[in-house]
Amino acid sequence: MKASANEFSFAAEPYSVQFDPDSTALLIIDMQRDFLEPGGFGELLGNDVSLLRSTIEPCRKILAAARDADIAVIHTREGHRPDLMDAPASKLRRGKLETGIGDAGPMGRVLVRGEPGHDIIPELAPAEGEPVIDKPGKGAFYETDLDLILQNRNIRTLIVCGVTTEVCVHTTVRQANDRGYECIVLSDCVGSYFPEFQRVGLDMIKAQGGIFGWVSTSKEAVAALTKSRS
Ligand code: TIU
């Protein structure tokens, strides 16, 4: 429903949220082979990566809708320089992994930029003109130019997808919220290796009147974006 000039409404929890398509971006977090395919960082951490794959189809739908509606699209990837100089020693040590960050794995060196595992999955490959933010940390605002890119495009609202819900999605949403962005997280477009963390992670975003933002679904988001440009 159109609320005022260029203001549209999004069905969400804990209550519906207004957005202006010109100041809205779709932010897709770390939909990389390293997290979604066997042999990558996610599996080396001991996780069942198949749990994340249900996010691919809803992400594909919202990505197509955002492109059709001419909404800004931004992708992120977690990874490090080949010399690993941007990886804290604590991160390299963490987990006491036999094959860890920077080591050779089935998809190249684990979580290293330029390696096959670091790529975004082919289903969600970035299109020309869609910025890809390479981030060394969990949060997409940490030591990246994401904030600058959003400010230069006058973006105020972020529709957030990606993996994993309680790690990189949560860290990014918390960082965005403190910077004044309004985040709408799509429950079927974010995934966790832990079903309990998925549920609680989403509850934490929308609790207390939307303490970090809103939770909606790809269906609602596709409907809202389609309406905004019809
Ligand atoms: N391990 C895990 O759940 N996630 C990460 O390390 N990175 C992201 O969430 N992208």
Side-chain angles (χ1 to χ4, degrees), residues 29-30 32 35 41-42 45 47 78 111 135 138 163-169 193-194:
I29 309 277
D30 300 1
Q32 295 164 253
F35 294 108
F41 185 55
L45 289 170
N47 301 303
E78 180 180 349
L111 224 60
K135 61 189 186 64
K138 305 304 181 194
V163 296
T164 62
T165 307
E166 76 281 12
V167 183
C168 293
V169 171
Y193 301 120
F194 304 87

Side-chain angles (χ1 to χ4, degrees), residues 4-188:
S4 63
N6 254 10
E7 282 264 300
F8 293 83
S9 171
F10 216 119
E13 292 180 294
Y15 51 86
S16 69
V17 54
Q18 306 303 122
F19 77 101
D20 173 348
D22 293 332
S23 62
T24 298
L26 175 66
L27 182 63
I28 306 182
I29 309 277
D30 300 1
M31 289 294 281
Q32 295 164 253
R33 299 183 65 201
D34 254 324
F35 294 108
L36 288 130
E37 294 185 9
F41 185 55
E43 192 173 80
L44 292 166
L45 289 170
N47 301 303
D48 173 4
V49 294
S50 69
L51 284 164
L52 301 189
R53 296 193 63 84
S54 65
T55 60
I56 297 173
E57 188 52 23
C59 278
R60 208 187 53 71
K61 285 190 178 139
I62 186 65
L63 177 59
R67 286 171 177 163
D68 283 351
D70 214 14
I71 298 281
V73 176
I74 301 175
H75 307 258
T76 75
R77 298 184 294 206
E78 180 180 349
H80 295 282
R81 295 163 49 102
D83 61 15
L84 303 181
M85 284 191 186
D86 58 350
S90 58
K91 186 174 182 181
L92 297 176
R93 275 197 307 265
R94 195 70 54 83
K96 299 180 176 171
L97 303 177
E98 202 168 298
T99 308
I101 296 169
D103 295 335
M107 292 193 287
R109 292 180 67 206
V110 176
L111 224 60
V112 168
R113 294 176 188 165
E115 299 289 333
H118 182 258
D119 266 355
I120 292 174
I121 57 169
E123 296 90 329
L124 302 174
E128 207 182 313
E130 294 174 356
V132 178
I133 308 289
D134 278 327
K135 61 189 186 64
K138 305 304 181 194
F141 289 85
Y142 176 67
E143 297 291 343
T144 70
D145 51 12
L146 175 60
D147 203 22
L148 189 57
I149 289 173
L150 295 175
Q151 286 180 48
N152 287 341
R153 292 184 169 200
N154 297 315
I155 301 293
R156 302 307 315 152
T157 302
L158 300 173
I159 300 170
V160 185
C161 300
V163 296
T164 62
T165 307
E166 76 281 12
V167 183
C168 293
V169 171
H170 240 269
T171 307
T172 299
V173 166
R174 290 169 185 235
Q175 292 179 327
N177 184 57
D178 277 347
R179 286 166 173 79
Y181 297 100
E182 311 223 271
C183 294
I184 305 159
V185 178
L186 305 184
S187 58
D188 52 336

